[in-house]
Amino acid sequence: GVPLVSHQVQLSALDQRAVQSGMADWCADHDVSLIAFGTVGSGILSEKYLGRDRPPTQEEKNTPSMKMYSKTAERFGSWTLVQELLQTMNTVATDVKRSGRCDGASIANVAQRYVLDTKAVASVLVGVRNKNHIEDNVRTHSFELTNAERDAIQAVLDKRKGPLGDVWDIERGYV
């Protein structure tokens, strides 16, 4: 047979089902790499939504991707909690820039780096619409998060309400 070497899953700071279900641990134990998608939640984990008093509007939910990740953000917890996560990631991005680790570090870079540092994750799939997105995504690989920075993000994640269930449970209608 063909050996299983990778598994593609939705994984972000907003959606930790691959971690909380034990899948990441199993994959690490069996030399199976995770390939994560949705790491910036269709842009929700970016400066665009930092400081906003409300989640994406109906007009902004104009793609299947944005509709899906808006629901993921709702399952994560209140919009106030999403804002706390964005503010924490923004603080981390500022620290990364000030320390000289990456001049242009953004919230999206921090969100992707956090996922890349997750057990068993080998790669992230990113949506790239133009040259600027390529340059932005390359920055993700130019720095590491400190333990304190990861802990600050994790402290917010520890307050989340969901999403609950195993990987793909929501998509299959189980929860």
Side-chain angles (χ1 to χ4, degrees):
V2 177
L4 178 64
V5 296
S6 66
H7 181 46
Q8 183 177 317
V9 294
Q10 181 175 315
L11 178 58
S12 71
L14 293 172
D15 186 347
Q16 292 278 294
R17 289 178 293 165
V19 175
Q20 70 196 26
S21 69
M23 179 180 287
D25 289 331
W26 186 93
C27 287
D29 291 346
H30 293 87
D31 295 321
V32 174
S33 297
L34 290 175
I35 301 170
F37 69 90
T39 57
V40 297
S42 201
I44 293 171
L45 295 179
S46 73
E47 284 77 6
K48 179 177 180 177
Y49 290 94
L50 176 66
R52 286 189 40 172
D53 61 351
R54 62 186 180 356
T57 64
Q58 285 304 111
E59 294 79 31
E60 290 172 312
K61 296 178 191 176
N62 58 1
T63 66
S65 177
M66 180 52 91
K67 288 175 186 167
M68 179 176 70
Y69 294 117
S70 293
K71 290 299 284 180
T72 299
E74 290 173 21
R75 290 178 178 107
F76 178 80
S78 68
W79 187 247
T80 301
L81 185 60
V82 172
Q83 286 298 311
E84 184 178 345
L85 177 61
L86 288 170
Q87 184 57 54
T88 300
M89 289 183 164
N90 189 54
T91 299
V92 170
T94 299
D95 290 347
V96 168
K97 289 183 271 196
R98 285 186 182 151
S99 69
R101 288 178 280 157
C102 178
D103 288 337
S106 66
I107 290 172
N109 295 140
V110 170
Q112 290 174 338
R113 182 79 255 167
Y114 185 82
V115 171
L116 279 167
D117 291 346
T118 301
K119 184 188 285 192
V121 173
S123 181
V124 295
L125 295 176
V126 294
V128 177
R129 290 191 313 260
N130 58 49
K131 180 182 172 221
N132 294 337
H133 279 166
I134 294 170
E135 293 168 357
D136 187 43
N137 285 299
V138 167
R139 281 196 299 273
T140 297
H141 301 280
S142 68
F143 68 93
E144 299 289 329
L145 297 176
T146 66
N147 288 338
E149 291 164 345
R150 285 190 60 75
D151 290 347
I153 294 167
Q154 187 61 50
V156 179
L157 299 187
D158 288 344
K159 300 175 187 179
R160 73 187 186 280
K161 304 286 187 230
L164 301 175
D166 206 342
V167 175
W168 304 112
D169 275 0
I170 293 169
E171 294 78 3
R172 290 184 177 129
Y174 298 155
V175 290

